Amino acid sequence: GAVVSQHPSWVICKSGTSVKIECRSLDFQATTMFWYRQFPKQSLMLMATSNEGSKATYEQGVEKDKFLINHASLTLSTLTVTSAHPEDSSFYICSARPPRTGNPRLSKNIQYFGAGTRLSVL
Amino acid sequence: AQKITQTQPGMFVQEKEAVTLDCTYDTSDQSYGLFWYKQPSSGEMIFLIYQGSYDEQNATEGRYSLNFQKARKSANLVISASQLGDSAMYFCAMRDTGGFKTIFGAGTRLFVKA
């Protein structure tokens, strides 16, 4: 079954509105989660690293005020695309890696991904 | 800086035959991990196989094996007995053991022909 849950899987919104995407680790506590963006036929680009209880670390070129990240608990990180515009339309996908100790079923080496969210901004 | 290179934008393979997807990497770290993920048209990223830089043997997971050549900095994925369901994008990825970030290659689209 899924190890990381992402919701919603698809969202269509009007330009200027904000969209929130949730990422949950189901079988482990994740102090760190990662948000990626993927344009059609391209690879995954890391946007930011979400840290539980502290500020997210953004990659160069990613607007912090545009892509708000909140990691309020050990199992939930949210990405909010604020004032979305058509150029923000993309596939957003989150991931997390299990801690060294914890669920023995999960490998600490593997980064598990959510199913992704397709955002279309009209 | 770390880098992953996948030089094959697309590959075709006949059903039931084996196929090799190329991946080379560049890092100055001594300890790192290499991964392959499969991304079908649905978009989900499916973990396939992992190879640690200190692992002496090549990793295998069912029909997947990783041809790890450390000196050449290559980590090719071999899929044996290809199936139609193997048609997808395949990404090679790397993470240094001390860090958190995982970087991905450009991907290779595999087409399995009946």
Side-chain angles (χ1 to χ4, degrees):
Chain A
V3 177
V4 175
S5 172
Q6 189 170 340
H7 179 82
S9 57
W10 194 295
V11 59
I12 301 173
C13 69
K14 293 182 179 180
S15 184
T17 61
S18 295
V19 175
K20 180 184 285 188
I21 303 170
E22 293 187 348
C23 181
R24 295 180 184 273
S25 57
L26 299 180
D27 294 327
F28 62 96
Q29 294 182 331
T31 56
T32 303
M33 292 186 178
F34 306 92
W35 287 96
Y36 291 84
R37 182 175 184 175
Q38 185 181 29
F39 289 107
K41 299 183 180 181
Q42 294 189 21
S43 186
L44 279 72
M45 298 301 296
L46 180 65
M47 297 175 65
T49 302
S50 173
N51 304 300
E52 189 269 335
S54 64
K55 292 181 179 180
T57 304
Y58 290 82
E59 295 300 300
Q60 190 174 7
V62 177
E63 299 177 58
K64 301 178 182 181
D65 296 332
K66 177 73 170 177
F67 300 100
L68 298 179
I69 291 174
N70 183 275
H71 195 150
S73 77
L74 288 172
T75 58
L76 174 64
S77 175
T78 60
L79 169 67
T80 300
V81 183
T82 62
S83 187
H85 288 92
E87 58 266 28
D88 298 324
S89 298
S90 187
F91 186 66
Y92 295 86
I93 191 166
C94 70
S95 73
R97 187 156 57 106
R100 293 183 180 276
T101 59
N103 191 333
R105 183 176 70 84
L106 303 175
S107 169
K108 62 177 177 61
N109 291 313
I110 299 172
Q111 197 163 318
Y112 295 93
F113 284 82
T117 299
R118 294 191 186 279
L119 171 62
S120 294
V121 185
L122 305 178
Chain B
Q2 296 180 324
K3 186 178 180 181
I4 292 280
T5 302
Q6 293 180 256
T7 58
Q8 306 156 312
M11 288 283 287
F12 286 87
V13 65
Q14 194 67 40
E15 191 180 13
K16 299 181 183 179
E17 292 185 351
V19 63
T20 298
L21 306 184
D22 295 340
C23 173
T24 58
Y25 60 92
D26 190 18
T27 181
S28 57
D29 296 317
Q30 296 301 311
S31 181
Y32 49 88
L34 297 159
F35 306 79
W36 278 92
Y37 286 87
K38 172 184 178 181
Q39 187 179 41
S41 57
S42 60
E44 60 184 315
M45 292 289 284
I46 302 170
F47 165 77
L48 296 179
I49 198 166
Y50 165 80
Q51 178 87 43
S53 58
Y54 290 116
D55 294 341
E56 296 183 352
Q57 293 189 338
N58 288 341
T60 60
E61 289 285 349
R63 294 187 298 111
Y64 304 108
S65 61
L66 198 151
N67 185 359
F68 181 45
Q69 298 188 36
K70 194 171 183 177
R72 297 178 59 184
K73 293 188 175 179
S74 72
N76 298 338
L77 176 69
V78 180
I79 305 175
S80 62
S82 296
Q83 301 172 357
L84 296 178
D86 293 336
S87 294
M89 279 290 288
Y90 288 82
F91 290 99
C92 180
M94 175 175 66
R95 184 185 68 240
D96 65 276
T97 305
F100 292 109
K101 298 180 183 180
T102 299
I103 60 170
F104 289 81
T108 296
R109 180 164 292 281
L110 179 65
F111 300 91
V112 181
K113 300 181 293 182

